[in-house]
């Protein structure tokens, strides 16, 4: 069929427009797919913390790991043995799943907090037993009064403090309690790892320092020009502080923690060899986009 020149020009314009529409659709689809793949890869990261002891690996959610790090840090600050932290962690896992509950779970209708302590039995006020720092301290206050608690099986030591209606239940969490206690008291270097997604929140050095000193007491700190916060510590105290920082990296918007020739980062989800300064834990915080 023959077309007039005007009709031919009109048809060419229509074809050109259709081609441009298709190209834009393909381009937009490609951009969307690329962005979707990036977002999906982040969403598919299952955030968690693990403790490794020998061939065994144990896992906690982030809220649980934060609470575990506090419980262990209180033991470190009080100069208690790692065994005390193992008992406390096994107890808290059984009583509350390492969550700061505002209701009674197993211990009784008025039980609260990480250890399900009951105000009606003299553990403190309702507000106090829901304060994790207070609750951990109260647990250790009772534990150290148990004769020979360090030599007792964990479930017996825990029961001596808690007087639970399920006295054998603590045994179910002995291995898990030991693994996280060993890591978070610094006795097992680089054995705590947290897998986290990226963050678009800016870290605050003052907030990290305040959180650390809440559980460890006054610390010698310094801040470099890049905004990295350093804590002075050595030995097991150093590893306890470093792994506490990893356990709290999500809440405090921490990007990397370096100590003892190793560095943990969000991007690698683990500890790798790195140049570090002896006696310093360096905490790098998430920064604002340039």
């Amino acid at each position: 069929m023959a077309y007039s020149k005007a009709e031919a020009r009109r048809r060419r314009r229509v074809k050109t427009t259709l081609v441009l529409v298709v190209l834009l659709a393909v381009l937009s689809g490609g951009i969307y797919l690329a962005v979707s793949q990036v977002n999906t890869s982040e969403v598919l990261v299952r955030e968690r913390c693990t403790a490794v002891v020998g061939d065994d690996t144990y896992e906690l959610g982030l809220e649980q790991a934060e609470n575990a790090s506090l419980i262990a840090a209180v033991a470190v600050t009080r100069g208690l043995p790692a065994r005390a932290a193992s008992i406390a962690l096994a107890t808290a896992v059984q009583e509350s799943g390492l969550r700061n509950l505002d209701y009674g779970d197993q211990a009784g209708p008025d039980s609260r907090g990480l250890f399900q302590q009951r105000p009606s039995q003299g553990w403190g006020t309702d507000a106090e037993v829901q304060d994790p720092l207070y609750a951990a301290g109260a647990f250790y206050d009772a534990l150290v009064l148990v004769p020979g608690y360090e030599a007792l099986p964990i479930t017996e030591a825990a029961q001596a403090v808690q007087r639970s209606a399920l006295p054998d239940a603590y045994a179910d969490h002995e291995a898990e309690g030991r693994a996280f206690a060993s890591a978070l008291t610094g006795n097992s270097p680089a054995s705590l790892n947290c897998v986290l997604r990226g963050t678009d929140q800016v870290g605050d050095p003052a907030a990290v320092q305040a959180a650390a000193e809440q559980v460890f007491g006054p610390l010698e700190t310094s801040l470099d020009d890049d905004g990295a916060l350093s804590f002075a510590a050595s030995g097991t105290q150093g590893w306890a502080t470093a792994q506490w920082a990893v356990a709290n990296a999500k809440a405090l918007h921490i990007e990397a923690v370096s100590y003892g020739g190793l560095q943990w980062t969000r991007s690698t989800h683990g500890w790798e060899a790195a140049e570090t300064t002896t006696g310093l834990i360096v905490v790098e915080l998430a920064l604002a986009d340039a």
Side-chain angles (χ1 to χ4, degrees), residues 191-236:
S191 64
L192 181 103
N193 178 44
C194 292
V195 175
L196 305 177
R197 302 186 189 105
T199 179
D200 58 1
Q201 301 294 312
V202 178
D204 180 3
V208 176
Q209 181 177 349
E213 291 187 340
Q214 182 185 39
V215 292
F216 290 112
L219 297 168
E220 183 181 340
T221 62
S222 60
L223 189 66
D224 69 16
D225 294 338
D226 295 326
L229 183 67
S230 295
F231 297 104
S234 59
T236 56

Side-chain angles (χ1 to χ4, degrees), residues 94-95 106 158-159 162-167 169-170:
Q94 169 59 29
E95 294 290 356
Q106 300 178 40
Q159 174 61 7
Q162 298 292 106
R163 303 193 181 282
S164 169
L166 302 170
Y170 304 110

Side-chain angles (χ1 to χ4, degrees), residues 1-255:
M1 180 183 294
Y3 297 107
S4 67
K5 290 183 178 180
E7 179 66 14
R9 284 196 299 271
R10 188 186 70 79
R11 287 178 174 272
R12 283 197 297 272
R13 285 198 300 270
V14 170
K15 289 180 179 179
T16 301
T17 301
L18 287 173
V19 169
L20 288 173
V21 169
V22 171
L23 286 174
L24 286 172
V26 171
L27 180 60
S28 299
I31 292 172
Y32 174 78
L33 180 60
V35 172
S36 296
Q37 287 175 338
V38 171
N39 291 338
T40 299
S41 67
E42 277 289 283
V43 170
L44 290 177
V45 172
R46 186 169 64 85
E47 296 186 310
R48 62 198 183 279
C49 293
T50 56
V52 178
V53 175
D55 296 330
D56 298 321
T57 300
Y58 300 90
E59 183 177 303
L60 290 176
L62 300 186
E63 176 192 357
Q64 295 171 304
E66 291 167 21
N67 288 326
S69 72
L70 179 145
I71 291 169
V74 173
V76 170
T77 303
R78 292 186 172 212
L80 298 176
R83 182 70 170 179
S86 297
I87 297 166
L89 289 173
T91 302
V93 172
Q94 169 59 29
E95 294 290 356
S96 69
L98 272 171
R99 294 180 174 86
N100 191 25
L101 302 181
D102 62 357
Y103 57 88
D105 187 18
Q106 300 178 40
D110 68 331
S111 57
R112 299 287 187 273
L114 291 171
F115 297 92
Q116 289 290 279
Q117 293 157 332
R118 300 182 67 178
S120 63
Q121 294 185 353
W123 282 102
T125 67
D126 192 77
E128 285 174 334
V129 298
Q130 289 182 73
D131 174 355
L133 195 62
Y134 174 92
F139 180 87
Y140 289 127
D141 286 343
L143 179 64
V144 297
L145 297 179
V146 177
Y149 77 88
E150 293 178 60
L152 292 176
I154 285 179
T155 191
E156 290 184 23
Q159 174 61 7
V161 174
Q162 298 292 106
R163 303 193 181 282
S164 169
L166 302 170
D168 299 324
Y170 304 110
D172 296 338
H173 309 291
E174 287 191 16
E176 181 180 5
R178 282 196 300 268
F180 279 96
S182 186
L184 292 167
T185 60
N187 285 278
S188 294
S191 64
L192 181 103
N193 178 44
C194 292
V195 175
L196 305 177
R197 302 186 189 105
T199 179
D200 58 1
Q201 301 294 312
V202 178
D204 180 3
V208 176
Q209 181 177 349
E213 291 187 340
Q214 182 185 39
V215 292
F216 290 112
L219 297 168
E220 183 181 340
T221 62
S222 60
L223 189 66
D224 69 16
D225 294 338
D226 295 326
L229 183 67
S230 295
F231 297 104
S234 59
T236 56
Q237 173 72 45
W239 276 113
T241 307
Q243 295 185 108
W244 169 89
V246 173
N248 289 271
K250 175 75 170 183
L252 296 172
H253 314 301
I254 293 170
E255 285 288 348

